Amino acid sequence: MITADAFEPELSDARISYAQTCVLVTVVDDLFDNCAPREELVNLIQLVKKWDKNSFTQCCSKQVKLFLLALYNTVDELAEKAFVHQGRCIKQDLISMWQELLEGMLTELDWWRENSAPTIDEYLSVGRTTIGAKICVLTGAYFLGPKLSEDILNSEEMKSLWTHASTVGRLLNDIQTQQKELEQRKPNIVSMHVARGNGVITMEEATTRIEENIERGRRQLLQMVLQTNGSQVPRVCKDFFWTTCKICFYLYKFTNEYDSPKEIVSDAKKIIYEPIKLPKNIF
């Protein structure tokens, strides 16, 4: 889907790195969602922190070893490619983002297993990371052309960009998964709003409020993307955040395409098999 907007030949590394990261995020998310033993997940996080290929013998399960091998190889490959684009090693930046993502997923798992109730702010603070938008965009951004200094990456503008994009993605996802997560007694922004309403707010009313927040966040993100005065983040990078926001709408606006990708499969078949029909007298 990233190809639809970032289609230029020179952006192939950006597209590939984005897709590779998205696949790995999906795989590890399934690992956490499928209730792997906590010691395996802690083991995985510890080995990511350690980042030593000689530590594969310390993997406590085959699935941890397989994922860790894929992650090590992918990060090493991307860091090597990015050095050509950025003129510096970004490997530690990638490792830090993966560490943040995995620790966030473990926090969410602990909330569920311990039946604890985080505040909405606590939930969103973690959920913005675990939705995966930040790590996918920032990984791909190293391959978009402009050199991204530490000052740019750590700027308030960059933080606001990924915060808005990630919040939109998290809220869209939660609306589509609210029923399943309610049955599983997992934290979800919709049920959290209902619970804090003391019986006054219904699920439908909570959903409407969250949809309003989504639209507000989408508009704020677009405003930042189009802003020129005082902006230090390159426009091509900001467009990558906007593309990710559109992808989130495509995946979660009407259903959860991750669980049942009917629309994605249908659209992919149309692109491959159905000829483009141009309007008559277009020329």
Side-chain angles (χ1 to χ4, degrees):
M1 287 180 284
I2 194 67
T3 308
D5 277 359
F7 55 84
E8 295 87 347
E10 62 271 20
L11 297 183
S12 62
D13 283 342
R15 292 192 296 272
I16 292 171
S17 63
Y18 188 105
Q20 286 176 308
T21 304
C22 186
V23 169
L24 287 174
V25 170
T26 302
V27 169
V28 77
D29 184 61
D30 287 343
L31 186 63
F32 278 79
D33 274 351
N34 290 331
C35 302
R38 191 179 190 277
E39 57 268 22
E40 289 189 15
L41 305 176
V42 172
N43 177 237
L44 174 60
I45 294 172
Q46 289 173 339
L47 294 178
V48 169
K49 289 180 180 179
K50 192 173 184 180
W51 204 268
D52 179 4
K53 286 191 174 181
N54 295 322
S55 65
F56 281 123
T57 56
Q58 300 173 28
C59 294
C60 67
S61 71
K62 183 178 179 180
Q63 59 183 356
V64 168
K65 185 175 182 179
L66 288 174
F67 178 78
L68 199 65
L69 180 62
L71 181 61
Y72 273 33
N73 289 340
T74 302
V75 168
D76 283 348
E77 175 191 340
L78 294 178
E80 185 177 345
K81 286 183 179 181
F83 189 86
V84 178
H85 292 264
Q86 296 294 320
R88 66 182 181 88
C89 182
I90 57 101
K91 185 174 179 178
Q92 189 55 51
D93 294 343
L94 298 179
I95 295 172
S96 295
M97 285 193 290
W98 274 105
Q99 182 179 327
E100 179 187 35
L101 178 78
L102 294 173
E103 289 176 342
M105 289 181 171
L106 184 61
T107 297
E108 290 182 333
L109 185 64
D110 286 341
W111 283 338
W112 174 55
R113 285 179 169 170
E114 297 168 5
N115 197 27
S116 59
T119 66
I120 289 177
D121 287 343
E122 288 172 339
Y123 175 77
L124 286 178
S125 178
V126 174
R128 290 187 188 103
T129 298
T130 58
I131 196 64
K134 175 186 176 183
I135 195 170
C136 290
V137 175
L138 292 184
T139 300
Y142 288 112
F143 303 94
L144 292 173
K147 286 184 168 52
L148 300 177
S149 66
E150 292 293 337
D151 287 342
I152 292 177
L153 290 169
N154 295 325
S155 66
E156 286 300 316
E157 181 183 12
M158 183 67 84
K159 181 179 179 180
S160 293
L161 284 164
W162 70 253
T163 295
H164 287 312
S166 299
T167 301
V168 168
R170 170 50 63 197
L171 296 182
L172 283 167
N173 174 273
D174 275 22
I175 286 177
Q176 294 303 330
T177 59
Q178 60 177 287
Q179 188 57 45
K180 179 180 72 174
E181 291 178 342
L182 180 63
E183 293 170 358
Q184 296 173 341
R185 303 181 67 83
K186 289 184 176 180
N188 179 287
I189 195 67
V190 179
S191 57
M192 291 172 73
H193 273 282
V194 172
R196 282 156 180 74
N198 295 320
V200 176
I201 301 175
T202 65
M203 294 288 279
E204 291 75 15
E205 290 170 336
T207 300
T208 298
R209 292 187 184 183
I210 293 165
E211 287 174 341
E212 292 171 353
N213 289 335
I214 290 171
E215 179 59 19
R216 190 178 303 112
R218 186 191 71 85
R219 289 176 179 271
Q220 289 173 335
L221 176 61
L222 180 58
Q223 184 179 18
M224 290 195 68
V225 170
L226 299 177
Q227 179 182 341
T228 55
N229 292 336
S231 175
Q232 59 177 321
V233 178
R235 175 61 188 268
V236 66
C237 297
K238 294 196 289 185
D239 286 341
F240 225 43
F241 283 103
W242 182 241
T243 295
T244 298
C245 182
K246 291 191 288 185
I247 289 174
C248 289
F249 269 89
Y250 180 73
L251 290 173
Y252 301 122
K253 180 60 177 176
F254 301 108
T255 183
N256 184 357
E257 284 292 305
Y258 254 115
D259 284 353
S260 181
K262 296 179 182 178
E263 291 298 327
I264 294 178
V265 172
S266 175
D267 290 343
K269 287 181 178 179
K270 289 178 183 178
I271 292 172
I272 296 172
Y273 298 113
E274 294 185 13
I276 298 175
K277 296 180 181 179
L278 296 175
K280 293 182 180 180
N281 302 321
I282 190 172
F283 300 112

